[in-house]
Amino acid sequence: MKRTPLLAGNWKMNGTLSEAVNLARDLFRQIGKPSGREVLVAPPFPVLTCVAAEILPAGYLLAGQNLHWEDSGAFTGEVSARMLVETGCSHVIIGHSERRQYFSETDASVAMKVGAALRANLIPIVCVGETLAERENGQTLGVIERQVRGALVNLTRSAFPSLVLAYEPVWAIGTGRVATPEQAQHVHEAIRRLVTALSDESSAAMCRILYGGSVKPDNVDDLMSQPDIDGALVGGASLKADDFARIVAFQS
Ligand code: PGA
């Protein structure tokens, strides 16, 4: 099964309005219209609309970095799925390890957010990953299984084929310490087996599993040559147009 690779840039809390628009323009200058692969950016909320105007005509996809599980209401500081949709988002990142670590997100809140995204026809990009201590204690696959099952507990079968999962080992995020292609493939394969058990073989074969954690121009080719790595969720390197362009142009 050939899945279209998805290269996603998570800008995190970087980029004022002018910086974000400049970055989006630089990306288009360097990448042009991608063919045979999908390019997605996830800028901060206040700049989504302006970035959308730059990148949607180029055929890139737009994502929010988070959302609230309710559709609307008295939740100061939060953003709903429908708000994201109206800015042009087709996707939303859910359960990033920084959200779990600094904002107390749990498997249960991640599951509610996945539900909210699907109700609004947003495709969730669900992040999972173990800490260094968990890896060193041999708990990697157990942690990943708990997070994947927890996030997808309410998913109906029809939602699985378009679902995106991102395996992001916490120890590799922003550290320059990337998982080896073999380490990543081992976990990706386990995730696909789990998705098969939760849905069926053909849905699991369509579902894309991205790797994230210190993806750079010099390691993307080896990562993308693994059979179950269907793309990358890129933090730091997505803020530099030439680096992200090289990542989008990966050779495997
Ligand atoms: P990084 O971040 O590429 O800077 O390691 C990845 C992520 O957090 O999605």
mmCIF file of all heavy atoms in Angstrom, residues 4-10 37-42 93 125 127 164-168 178 184 188 208-217 219-224 228-235 237-238 243-244 246-250:
data_model
loop_
_atom_site.group_PDB
_atom_site.id
_atom_site.type_symbol
_atom_site.label_atom_id
_atom_site.label_comp_id
_atom_site.label_asym_id
_atom_site.label_seq_id
_atom_site.Cartn_x
_atom_site.Cartn_y
_atom_site.Cartn_z
ATOM 1 N N THR A 4 0.493 8.500 0.613
ATOM 2 C CA THR A 4 1.117 9.773 0.226
ATOM 3 C C THR A 4 1.881 10.330 1.429
ATOM 4 O O THR A 4 1.299 10.524 2.494
ATOM 5 C CB THR A 4 0.035 10.791 -0.199
ATOM 6 O OG1 THR A 4 -0.764 10.189 -1.205
ATOM 7 C CG2 THR A 4 0.654 12.068 -0.717
ATOM 8 N N PRO A 5 3.168 10.608 1.271
ATOM 9 C CA PRO A 5 3.926 11.148 2.407
ATOM 10 C C PRO A 5 3.382 12.516 2.836
ATOM 11 O O PRO A 5 2.947 13.314 1.998
ATOM 12 C CB PRO A 5 5.345 11.291 1.852
ATOM 13 C CG PRO A 5 5.392 10.424 0.642
ATOM 14 C CD PRO A 5 4.009 10.371 0.092
ATOM 15 N N LEU A 6 3.407 12.744 4.134
ATOM 16 C CA LEU A 6 2.929 14.014 4.703
ATOM 17 C C LEU A 6 4.079 14.642 5.485
ATOM 18 O O LEU A 6 4.584 14.041 6.435
ATOM 19 C CB LEU A 6 1.728 13.745 5.621
ATOM 20 C CG LEU A 6 1.220 14.910 6.465
ATOM 21 C CD1 LEU A 6 0.761 16.070 5.593
ATOM 22 C CD2 LEU A 6 0.050 14.447 7.346
ATOM 23 N N LEU A 7 4.477 15.832 5.062
ATOM 24 C CA LEU A 7 5.549 16.550 5.746
ATOM 25 C C LEU A 7 4.922 17.743 6.443
ATOM 26 O O LEU A 7 4.371 18.642 5.776
ATOM 27 C CB LEU A 7 6.606 17.019 4.740
ATOM 28 C CG LEU A 7 7.459 15.933 4.043
ATOM 29 C CD1 LEU A 7 8.073 14.962 5.055
ATOM 30 C CD2 LEU A 7 6.697 15.215 2.963
ATOM 31 N N ALA A 8 4.972 17.733 7.770
ATOM 32 C CA ALA A 8 4.230 18.721 8.548
ATOM 33 C C ALA A 8 5.200 19.551 9.387
ATOM 34 O O ALA A 8 6.095 19.015 10.036
ATOM 35 C CB ALA A 8 3.237 17.999 9.469
ATOM 36 N N GLY A 9 4.996 20.861 9.359
ATOM 37 C CA GLY A 9 5.822 21.772 10.163
ATOM 38 C C GLY A 9 5.024 22.293 11.346
ATOM 39 O O GLY A 9 3.968 22.895 11.159
ATOM 40 N N ASN A 10 5.508 22.024 12.544
ATOM 41 C CA ASN A 10 4.867 22.514 13.765
ATOM 42 C C ASN A 10 5.655 23.734 14.231
ATOM 43 O O ASN A 10 6.763 23.595 14.741
ATOM 44 C CB ASN A 10 4.897 21.395 14.817
ATOM 45 C CG ASN A 10 4.387 21.857 16.168
ATOM 46 O OD1 ASN A 10 3.841 22.954 16.300
ATOM 47 N ND2 ASN A 10 4.561 21.017 17.173
ATOM 48 N N ARG A 37 3.443 14.517 -2.674
ATOM 49 C CA ARG A 37 3.560 14.556 -1.215
ATOM 50 C C ARG A 37 2.732 15.726 -0.688
ATOM 51 O O ARG A 37 2.514 16.702 -1.400
ATOM 52 C CB ARG A 37 5.011 14.623 -0.759
ATOM 53 C CG ARG A 37 5.926 15.482 -1.579
ATOM 54 C CD ARG A 37 7.393 15.138 -1.340
ATOM 55 N NE ARG A 37 7.836 13.956 -2.057
ATOM 56 C CZ ARG A 37 9.058 13.463 -2.042
ATOM 57 N NH1 ARG A 37 9.996 14.036 -1.339
ATOM 58 N NH2 ARG A 37 9.383 12.379 -2.706
ATOM 59 N N GLU A 38 2.276 15.596 0.528
ATOM 60 C CA GLU A 38 1.484 16.664 1.135
ATOM 61 C C GLU A 38 2.365 17.473 2.081
ATOM 62 O O GLU A 38 3.178 16.912 2.809
ATOM 63 C CB GLU A 38 0.305 16.074 1.903
ATOM 64 C CG GLU A 38 -0.742 15.463 0.982
ATOM 65 C CD GLU A 38 -1.948 14.875 1.711
ATOM 66 O OE1 GLU A 38 -1.974 14.874 2.959
ATOM 67 O OE2 GLU A 38 -2.851 14.390 1.013
ATOM 68 N N VAL A 39 2.169 18.790 2.023
ATOM 69 C CA VAL A 39 2.928 19.697 2.891
ATOM 70 C C VAL A 39 1.928 20.407 3.791
ATOM 71 O O VAL A 39 0.904 20.907 3.319
ATOM 72 C CB VAL A 39 3.703 20.736 2.052
ATOM 73 C CG1 VAL A 39 4.438 21.729 2.959
ATOM 74 C CG2 VAL A 39 4.676 20.040 1.116
ATOM 75 N N LEU A 40 2.204 20.433 5.077
ATOM 76 C CA LEU A 40 1.273 21.019 6.044
ATOM 77 C C LEU A 40 2.058 21.921 6.998
ATOM 78 O O LEU A 40 3.184 21.596 7.364
ATOM 79 C CB LEU A 40 0.596 19.880 6.805
ATOM 80 C CG LEU A 40 -0.340 20.201 7.971
ATOM 81 C CD1 LEU A 40 -1.424 19.123 8.084
ATOM 82 C CD2 LEU A 40 0.407 20.298 9.299
ATOM 83 N N VAL A 41 1.457 23.044 7.379
ATOM 84 C CA VAL A 41 2.074 23.850 8.440
ATOM 85 C C VAL A 41 1.061 24.100 9.552
ATOM 86 O O VAL A 41 -0.138 24.252 9.309
ATOM 87 C CB VAL A 41 2.675 25.187 7.933
ATOM 88 C CG1 VAL A 41 3.838 24.942 6.982
ATOM 89 C CG2 VAL A 41 1.635 26.075 7.298
ATOM 90 N N ALA A 42 1.581 24.149 10.769
ATOM 91 C CA ALA A 42 0.745 24.402 11.951
ATOM 92 C C ALA A 42 1.293 25.632 12.677
ATOM 93 O O ALA A 42 2.149 25.515 13.555
ATOM 94 C CB ALA A 42 0.754 23.176 12.871
ATOM 95 N N ILE A 93 -3.252 19.259 15.418
ATOM 96 C CA ILE A 93 -2.339 18.441 16.227
ATOM 97 C C ILE A 93 -2.977 18.257 17.605
ATOM 98 O O ILE A 93 -3.466 19.224 18.200
ATOM 99 C CB ILE A 93 -0.970 19.148 16.377
ATOM 100 C CG1 ILE A 93 -0.308 19.316 15.003
ATOM 101 C CG2 ILE A 93 -0.059 18.381 17.335
ATOM 102 C CD1 ILE A 93 0.964 20.172 15.024
ATOM 103 N N ILE A 125 -4.123 14.906 14.137
ATOM 104 C CA ILE A 125 -2.754 14.382 14.087
ATOM 105 C C ILE A 125 -2.417 14.072 15.554
ATOM 106 O O ILE A 125 -2.121 14.966 16.344
ATOM 107 C CB ILE A 125 -1.762 15.415 13.523
ATOM 108 C CG1 ILE A 125 -2.178 15.848 12.108
ATOM 109 C CG2 ILE A 125 -0.328 14.864 13.536
ATOM 110 C CD1 ILE A 125 -1.333 16.976 11.515
ATOM 111 N N CYS A 127 -0.430 12.774 18.623
ATOM 112 C CA CYS A 127 0.971 12.550 18.976
ATOM 113 C C CYS A 127 1.101 11.608 20.165
ATOM 114 O O CYS A 127 0.375 11.747 21.157
ATOM 115 C CB CYS A 127 1.637 13.861 19.357
ATOM 116 S SG CYS A 127 1.558 15.099 18.062
ATOM 117 N N VAL A 164 -4.182 10.574 11.240
ATOM 118 C CA VAL A 164 -2.725 10.687 11.229
ATOM 119 C C VAL A 164 -2.234 10.513 12.663
ATOM 120 O O VAL A 164 -2.758 11.134 13.585
ATOM 121 C CB VAL A 164 -2.259 12.061 10.690
ATOM 122 C CG1 VAL A 164 -0.733 12.142 10.677
ATOM 123 C CG2 VAL A 164 -2.829 12.324 9.296
ATOM 124 N N LEU A 165 -1.254 9.647 12.837
ATOM 125 C CA LEU A 165 -0.616 9.487 14.142
ATOM 126 C C LEU A 165 0.817 9.987 14.005
ATOM 127 O O LEU A 165 1.405 9.920 12.916
ATOM 128 C CB LEU A 165 -0.614 8.015 14.563
ATOM 129 C CG LEU A 165 -1.989 7.478 14.959
ATOM 130 C CD1 LEU A 165 -2.056 5.971 14.771
ATOM 131 C CD2 LEU A 165 -2.314 7.835 16.398
ATOM 132 N N ALA A 166 1.366 10.527 15.087
ATOM 133 C CA ALA A 166 2.770 10.958 15.044
ATOM 134 C C ALA A 166 3.494 10.333 16.219
ATOM 135 O O ALA A 166 3.114 10.555 17.373
ATOM 136 C CB ALA A 166 2.864 12.472 15.103
ATOM 137 N N TYR A 167 4.509 9.523 15.897
ATOM 138 C CA TYR A 167 5.353 8.974 16.953
ATOM 139 C C TYR A 167 6.482 9.965 17.215
ATOM 140 O O TYR A 167 7.318 10.219 16.337
ATOM 141 C CB TYR A 167 5.921 7.607 16.541
ATOM 142 C CG TYR A 167 7.011 7.149 17.490
ATOM 143 C CD1 TYR A 167 6.765 7.070 18.865
ATOM 144 C CD2 TYR A 167 8.283 6.825 17.027
ATOM 145 C CE1 TYR A 167 7.766 6.685 19.752
ATOM 146 C CE2 TYR A 167 9.289 6.426 17.905
ATOM 147 C CZ TYR A 167 9.017 6.368 19.267
ATOM 148 O OH TYR A 167 10.012 6.001 20.145
ATOM 149 N N GLU A 168 6.459 10.540 18.401
ATOM 150 C CA GLU A 168 7.458 11.542 18.749
ATOM 151 C C GLU A 168 8.078 11.191 20.106
ATOM 152 O O GLU A 168 7.541 11.572 21.161
ATOM 153 C CB GLU A 168 6.819 12.923 18.853
ATOM 154 C CG GLU A 168 6.192 13.400 17.568
ATOM 155 C CD GLU A 168 6.158 14.921 17.502
ATOM 156 O OE1 GLU A 168 5.587 15.547 18.408
ATOM 157 O OE2 GLU A 168 6.738 15.473 16.567
ATOM 158 N N VAL A 178 18.048 12.282 17.464
ATOM 159 C CA VAL A 178 16.984 11.659 16.667
ATOM 160 C C VAL A 178 16.947 10.152 16.935
ATOM 161 O O VAL A 178 17.982 9.545 17.229
ATOM 162 C CB VAL A 178 17.236 11.966 15.166
ATOM 163 C CG1 VAL A 178 18.532 11.346 14.694
ATOM 164 C CG2 VAL A 178 16.074 11.558 14.286
ATOM 165 N N ALA A 184 12.747 3.930 15.175
ATOM 166 C CA ALA A 184 11.463 4.531 14.788
ATOM 167 C C ALA A 184 10.584 3.491 14.094
ATOM 168 O O ALA A 184 9.404 3.330 14.429
ATOM 169 C CB ALA A 184 11.705 5.743 13.890
ATOM 170 N N HIS A 188 6.803 2.341 14.866
ATOM 171 C CA HIS A 188 5.759 2.575 13.842
ATOM 172 C C HIS A 188 5.039 1.279 13.476
ATOM 173 O O HIS A 188 3.826 1.258 13.298
ATOM 174 C CB HIS A 188 6.387 3.204 12.589
ATOM 175 C CG HIS A 188 6.649 4.675 12.736
ATOM 176 N ND1 HIS A 188 6.222 5.609 11.813
ATOM 177 C CD2 HIS A 188 7.266 5.367 13.716
ATOM 178 C CE1 HIS A 188 6.591 6.826 12.220
ATOM 179 N NE2 HIS A 188 7.225 6.698 13.370
ATOM 180 N N ARG A 208 -1.804 7.230 8.192
ATOM 181 C CA ARG A 208 -0.403 7.629 8.100
ATOM 182 C C ARG A 208 0.220 7.830 9.491
ATOM 183 O O ARG A 208 -0.406 8.387 10.374
ATOM 184 C CB ARG A 208 -0.257 8.888 7.257
ATOM 185 C CG ARG A 208 -0.323 8.519 5.783
ATOM 186 C CD ARG A 208 -0.310 9.698 4.888
ATOM 187 N NE ARG A 208 -1.493 10.518 5.079
ATOM 188 C CZ ARG A 208 -1.706 11.651 4.412
ATOM 189 N NH1 ARG A 208 -0.804 12.070 3.544
ATOM 190 N NH2 ARG A 208 -2.795 12.340 4.607
ATOM 191 N N ILE A 209 1.440 7.346 9.619
ATOM 192 C CA ILE A 209 2.157 7.461 10.885
ATOM 193 C C ILE A 209 3.431 8.277 10.618
ATOM 194 O O ILE A 209 4.310 7.852 9.858
ATOM 195 C CB ILE A 209 2.509 6.067 11.459
ATOM 196 C CG1 ILE A 209 1.257 5.183 11.523
ATOM 197 C CG2 ILE A 209 3.129 6.219 12.849
ATOM 198 C CD1 ILE A 209 1.517 3.732 11.919
ATOM 199 N N LEU A 210 3.482 9.468 11.209
ATOM 200 C CA LEU A 210 4.622 10.365 11.022
ATOM 201 C C LEU A 210 5.637 10.125 12.132
ATOM 202 O O LEU A 210 5.271 9.756 13.247
ATOM 203 C CB LEU A 210 4.174 11.838 11.091
ATOM 204 C CG LEU A 210 2.919 12.245 10.322
ATOM 205 C CD1 LEU A 210 2.702 13.755 10.465
ATOM 206 C CD2 LEU A 210 3.018 11.849 8.860
ATOM 207 N N TYR A 211 6.893 10.390 11.824
ATOM 208 C CA TYR A 211 7.907 10.411 12.881
ATOM 209 C C TYR A 211 8.217 11.872 13.216
ATOM 210 O O TYR A 211 8.294 12.719 12.305
ATOM 211 C CB TYR A 211 9.202 9.697 12.435
ATOM 212 C CG TYR A 211 10.301 9.981 13.437
ATOM 213 C CD1 TYR A 211 10.353 9.280 14.638
ATOM 214 C CD2 TYR A 211 11.206 11.031 13.231
ATOM 215 C CE1 TYR A 211 11.295 9.600 15.604
ATOM 216 C CE2 TYR A 211 12.146 11.355 14.196
ATOM 217 C CZ TYR A 211 12.178 10.640 15.378
ATOM 218 O OH TYR A 211 13.096 10.975 16.341
ATOM 219 N N GLY A 212 8.393 12.187 14.480
ATOM 220 C CA GLY A 212 8.803 13.529 14.881
ATOM 221 C C GLY A 212 9.823 13.465 15.991
ATOM 222 O O GLY A 212 9.788 12.565 16.844
ATOM 223 N N GLY A 213 10.732 14.440 15.975
ATOM 224 C CA GLY A 213 11.792 14.499 16.995
ATOM 225 C C GLY A 213 13.122 14.686 16.304
ATOM 226 O O GLY A 213 13.718 13.715 15.839
ATOM 227 N N SER A 214 13.544 15.972 16.210
ATOM 228 C CA SER A 214 14.839 16.325 15.610
ATOM 229 C C SER A 214 14.989 15.842 14.163
ATOM 230 O O SER A 214 16.085 15.427 13.752
ATOM 231 C CB SER A 214 15.995 15.827 16.483
ATOM 232 O OG SER A 214 15.953 16.473 17.753
ATOM 233 N N VAL A 215 13.888 15.896 13.397
ATOM 234 C CA VAL A 215 14.003 15.607 11.956
ATOM 235 C C VAL A 215 14.712 16.793 11.302
ATOM 236 O O VAL A 215 14.357 17.954 11.532
ATOM 237 C CB VAL A 215 12.618 15.398 11.306
ATOM 238 C CG1 VAL A 215 12.760 15.219 9.790
ATOM 239 C CG2 VAL A 215 11.917 14.194 11.920
ATOM 240 N N LYS A 216 15.738 16.490 10.523
ATOM 241 C CA LYS A 216 16.568 17.521 9.880
ATOM 242 C C LYS A 216 16.841 17.089 8.444
ATOM 243 O O LYS A 216 16.658 15.910 8.092
ATOM 244 C CB LYS A 216 17.923 17.644 10.599
ATOM 245 C CG LYS A 216 17.843 17.907 12.103
ATOM 246 C CD LYS A 216 17.483 19.342 12.443
ATOM 247 C CE LYS A 216 17.427 19.546 13.943
ATOM 248 N NZ LYS A 216 16.374 20.303 14.461
ATOM 249 N N PRO A 217 17.365 18.035 7.627
ATOM 250 C CA PRO A 217 17.711 17.656 6.249
ATOM 251 C C PRO A 217 18.640 16.450 6.181
ATOM 252 O O PRO A 217 18.531 15.632 5.278
ATOM 253 C CB PRO A 217 18.404 18.912 5.710
ATOM 254 C CG PRO A 217 17.816 20.037 6.490
ATOM 255 C CD PRO A 217 17.554 19.479 7.871
ATOM 256 N N ASN A 219 18.866 13.805 8.171
ATOM 257 C CA ASN A 219 18.419 12.471 8.622
ATOM 258 C C ASN A 219 17.088 12.047 8.004
ATOM 259 O O ASN A 219 16.642 10.923 8.185
ATOM 260 C CB ASN A 219 18.371 12.381 10.167
ATOM 261 C CG ASN A 219 17.478 13.443 10.797
ATOM 262 O OD1 ASN A 219 16.454 13.811 10.232
ATOM 263 N ND2 ASN A 219 17.854 13.909 11.982
ATOM 264 N N VAL A 220 16.443 12.981 7.280
ATOM 265 C CA VAL A 220 15.089 12.677 6.792
ATOM 266 C C VAL A 220 15.085 11.527 5.782
ATOM 267 O O VAL A 220 14.165 10.695 5.775
ATOM 268 C CB VAL A 220 14.399 13.948 6.224
ATOM 269 C CG1 VAL A 220 15.081 14.463 4.964
ATOM 270 C CG2 VAL A 220 12.924 13.684 5.968
ATOM 271 N N ASP A 221 16.104 11.443 4.927
ATOM 272 C CA ASP A 221 16.086 10.417 3.875
ATOM 273 C C ASP A 221 16.082 9.015 4.486
ATOM 274 O O ASP A 221 15.320 8.141 4.064
ATOM 275 C CB ASP A 221 17.293 10.563 2.943
ATOM 276 C CG ASP A 221 17.273 11.883 2.178
ATOM 277 O OD1 ASP A 221 16.231 12.568 2.204
ATOM 278 O OD2 ASP A 221 18.291 12.221 1.568
ATOM 279 N N ASP A 222 16.940 8.808 5.489
ATOM 280 C CA ASP A 222 17.017 7.484 6.113
ATOM 281 C C ASP A 222 15.730 7.145 6.849
ATOM 282 O O ASP A 222 15.255 5.999 6.810
ATOM 283 C CB ASP A 222 18.192 7.415 7.096
ATOM 284 C CG ASP A 222 19.524 7.400 6.363
ATOM 285 O OD1 ASP A 222 19.506 7.100 5.151
ATOM 286 O OD2 ASP A 222 20.546 7.697 6.996
ATOM 287 N N LEU A 223 15.160 8.147 7.524
ATOM 288 C CA LEU A 223 13.896 7.881 8.235
ATOM 289 C C LEU A 223 12.807 7.513 7.231
ATOM 290 O O LEU A 223 12.063 6.544 7.419
ATOM 291 C CB LEU A 223 13.471 9.112 9.039
ATOM 292 C CG LEU A 223 14.314 9.398 10.295
ATOM 293 C CD1 LEU A 223 14.121 10.836 10.764
ATOM 294 C CD2 LEU A 223 13.962 8.413 11.422
ATOM 295 N N MET A 224 12.723 8.282 6.145
ATOM 296 C CA MET A 224 11.636 8.070 5.186
ATOM 297 C C MET A 224 11.812 6.784 4.369
ATOM 298 O O MET A 224 10.888 6.379 3.673
ATOM 299 C CB MET A 224 11.512 9.281 4.244
ATOM 300 C CG MET A 224 10.969 10.529 4.931
ATOM 301 S SD MET A 224 9.339 10.304 5.692
ATOM 302 C CE MET A 224 8.327 9.913 4.277
ATOM 303 N N ASP A 228 7.181 1.831 7.430
ATOM 304 C CA ASP A 228 6.015 2.348 8.164
ATOM 305 C C ASP A 228 6.147 3.813 8.556
ATOM 306 O O ASP A 228 5.331 4.313 9.321
ATOM 307 C CB ASP A 228 5.751 1.478 9.405
ATOM 308 C CG ASP A 228 5.175 0.128 9.001
ATOM 309 O OD1 ASP A 228 4.066 0.105 8.459
ATOM 310 O OD2 ASP A 228 5.872 -0.895 9.171
ATOM 311 N N ILE A 229 7.158 4.489 8.043
ATOM 312 C CA ILE A 229 7.287 5.941 8.306
ATOM 313 C C ILE A 229 6.729 6.675 7.094
ATOM 314 O O ILE A 229 7.276 6.605 6.000
ATOM 315 C CB ILE A 229 8.746 6.334 8.615
ATOM 316 C CG1 ILE A 229 9.236 5.565 9.851
ATOM 317 C CG2 ILE A 229 8.848 7.846 8.833
ATOM 318 C CD1 ILE A 229 10.620 5.951 10.347
ATOM 319 N N ASP A 230 5.615 7.356 7.317
ATOM 320 C CA ASP A 230 4.858 7.941 6.197
ATOM 321 C C ASP A 230 5.012 9.452 6.114
ATOM 322 O O ASP A 230 4.282 10.109 5.365
ATOM 323 C CB ASP A 230 3.365 7.618 6.362
ATOM 324 C CG ASP A 230 3.133 6.136 6.549
ATOM 325 O OD1 ASP A 230 3.749 5.354 5.801
ATOM 326 O OD2 ASP A 230 2.366 5.756 7.464
ATOM 327 N N GLY A 231 5.920 9.998 6.909
ATOM 328 C CA GLY A 231 6.099 11.440 6.870
ATOM 329 C C GLY A 231 6.759 11.891 8.149
ATOM 330 O O GLY A 231 7.187 11.076 8.967
ATOM 331 N N ALA A 232 6.823 13.211 8.308
ATOM 332 C CA ALA A 232 7.523 13.765 9.464
ATOM 333 C C ALA A 232 6.739 14.918 10.058
ATOM 334 O O ALA A 232 6.076 15.673 9.336
ATOM 335 C CB ALA A 232 8.914 14.240 9.046
ATOM 336 N N LEU A 233 6.821 15.022 11.378
ATOM 337 C CA LEU A 233 6.299 16.185 12.084
ATOM 338 C C LEU A 233 7.547 16.919 12.581
ATOM 339 O O LEU A 233 8.295 16.394 13.402
ATOM 340 C CB LEU A 233 5.388 15.768 13.239
ATOM 341 C CG LEU A 233 4.721 16.882 14.052
ATOM 342 C CD1 LEU A 233 3.959 17.857 13.157
ATOM 343 C CD2 LEU A 233 3.739 16.289 15.079
ATOM 344 N N VAL A 234 7.758 18.098 12.024
ATOM 345 C CA VAL A 234 9.038 18.787 12.175
ATOM 346 C C VAL A 234 8.847 20.057 12.994
ATOM 347 O O VAL A 234 7.979 20.872 12.668
ATOM 348 C CB VAL A 234 9.590 19.165 10.776
ATOM 349 C CG1 VAL A 234 10.992 19.750 10.907
ATOM 350 C CG2 VAL A 234 9.565 17.971 9.839
ATOM 351 N N GLY A 235 9.636 20.222 14.041
ATOM 352 C CA GLY A 235 9.563 21.440 14.849
ATOM 353 C C GLY A 235 10.600 22.440 14.380
ATOM 354 O O GLY A 235 10.398 23.165 13.403
ATOM 355 N N ALA A 237 13.308 22.591 12.593
ATOM 356 C CA ALA A 237 13.731 22.743 11.196
ATOM 357 C C ALA A 237 12.613 23.272 10.296
ATOM 358 O O ALA A 237 12.877 23.692 9.166
ATOM 359 C CB ALA A 237 14.258 21.406 10.659
ATOM 360 N N SER A 238 11.364 23.299 10.804
ATOM 361 C CA SER A 238 10.283 23.828 9.951
ATOM 362 C C SER A 238 10.252 25.356 9.987
ATOM 363 O O SER A 238 9.511 25.992 9.246
ATOM 364 C CB SER A 238 8.921 23.265 10.375
ATOM 365 O OG SER A 238 8.480 23.843 11.584
ATOM 366 N N ASP A 243 15.706 24.538 5.182
ATOM 367 C CA ASP A 243 15.732 23.213 5.816
ATOM 368 C C ASP A 243 14.420 22.465 5.569
ATOM 369 O O ASP A 243 14.411 21.275 5.226
ATOM 370 C CB ASP A 243 15.932 23.337 7.338
ATOM 371 C CG ASP A 243 17.394 23.571 7.705
ATOM 372 O OD1 ASP A 243 18.229 23.666 6.781
ATOM 373 O OD2 ASP A 243 17.691 23.671 8.910
ATOM 374 N N PHE A 244 13.298 23.165 5.741
ATOM 375 C CA PHE A 244 12.012 22.478 5.567
ATOM 376 C C PHE A 244 11.829 22.066 4.099
ATOM 377 O O PHE A 244 11.324 20.976 3.817
ATOM 378 C CB PHE A 244 10.853 23.351 6.057
ATOM 379 C CG PHE A 244 9.552 22.607 6.199
ATOM 380 C CD1 PHE A 244 9.453 21.495 7.032
ATOM 381 C CD2 PHE A 244 8.424 22.998 5.491
ATOM 382 C CE1 PHE A 244 8.252 20.784 7.166
ATOM 383 C CE2 PHE A 244 7.217 22.294 5.620
ATOM 384 C CZ PHE A 244 7.140 21.198 6.453
ATOM 385 N N ARG A 246 14.149 21.183 2.073
ATOM 386 C CA ARG A 246 14.961 19.974 1.847
ATOM 387 C C ARG A 246 14.274 18.747 2.448
ATOM 388 O O ARG A 246 14.345 17.636 1.901
ATOM 389 C CB ARG A 246 16.363 20.188 2.463
ATOM 390 C CG ARG A 246 17.226 18.933 2.487
ATOM 391 C CD ARG A 246 17.536 18.406 1.073
ATOM 392 N NE ARG A 246 18.263 17.137 1.134
ATOM 393 C CZ ARG A 246 17.726 15.926 1.293
ATOM 394 N NH1 ARG A 246 16.400 15.789 1.421
ATOM 395 N NH2 ARG A 246 18.483 14.853 1.330
ATOM 396 N N ILE A 247 13.605 18.958 3.593
ATOM 397 C CA ILE A 247 12.889 17.837 4.215
ATOM 398 C C ILE A 247 11.727 17.403 3.318
ATOM 399 O O ILE A 247 11.519 16.208 3.092
ATOM 400 C CB ILE A 247 12.421 18.253 5.638
ATOM 401 C CG1 ILE A 247 13.655 18.321 6.559
ATOM 402 C CG2 ILE A 247 11.375 17.282 6.186
ATOM 403 C CD1 ILE A 247 13.392 18.947 7.924
ATOM 404 N N VAL A 248 11.017 18.389 2.772
ATOM 405 C CA VAL A 248 9.895 18.056 1.866
ATOM 406 C C VAL A 248 10.415 17.304 0.638
ATOM 407 O O VAL A 248 9.748 16.414 0.118
ATOM 408 C CB VAL A 248 9.136 19.342 1.454
ATOM 409 C CG1 VAL A 248 8.147 19.065 0.326
ATOM 410 C CG2 VAL A 248 8.426 19.950 2.671
ATOM 411 N N ALA A 249 11.633 17.644 0.225
ATOM 412 C CA ALA A 249 12.200 17.024 -0.991
ATOM 413 C C ALA A 249 12.973 15.749 -0.670
ATOM 414 O O ALA A 249 13.834 15.345 -1.438
ATOM 415 C CB ALA A 249 13.123 18.026 -1.677
ATOM 416 N N PHE A 250 12.640 15.096 0.454
ATOM 417 C CA PHE A 250 13.381 13.897 0.866
ATOM 418 C C PHE A 250 13.482 12.875 -0.273
ATOM 419 O O PHE A 250 12.609 12.807 -1.146
ATOM 420 C CB PHE A 250 12.701 13.241 2.083
ATOM 421 C CG PHE A 250 11.432 12.504 1.719
ATOM 422 C CD1 PHE A 250 11.470 11.190 1.298
ATOM 423 C CD2 PHE A 250 10.212 13.152 1.752
ATOM 424 C CE1 PHE A 250 10.307 10.513 0.925
ATOM 425 C CE2 PHE A 250 9.045 12.488 1.388
ATOM 426 C CZ PHE A 250 9.095 11.167 0.965
#
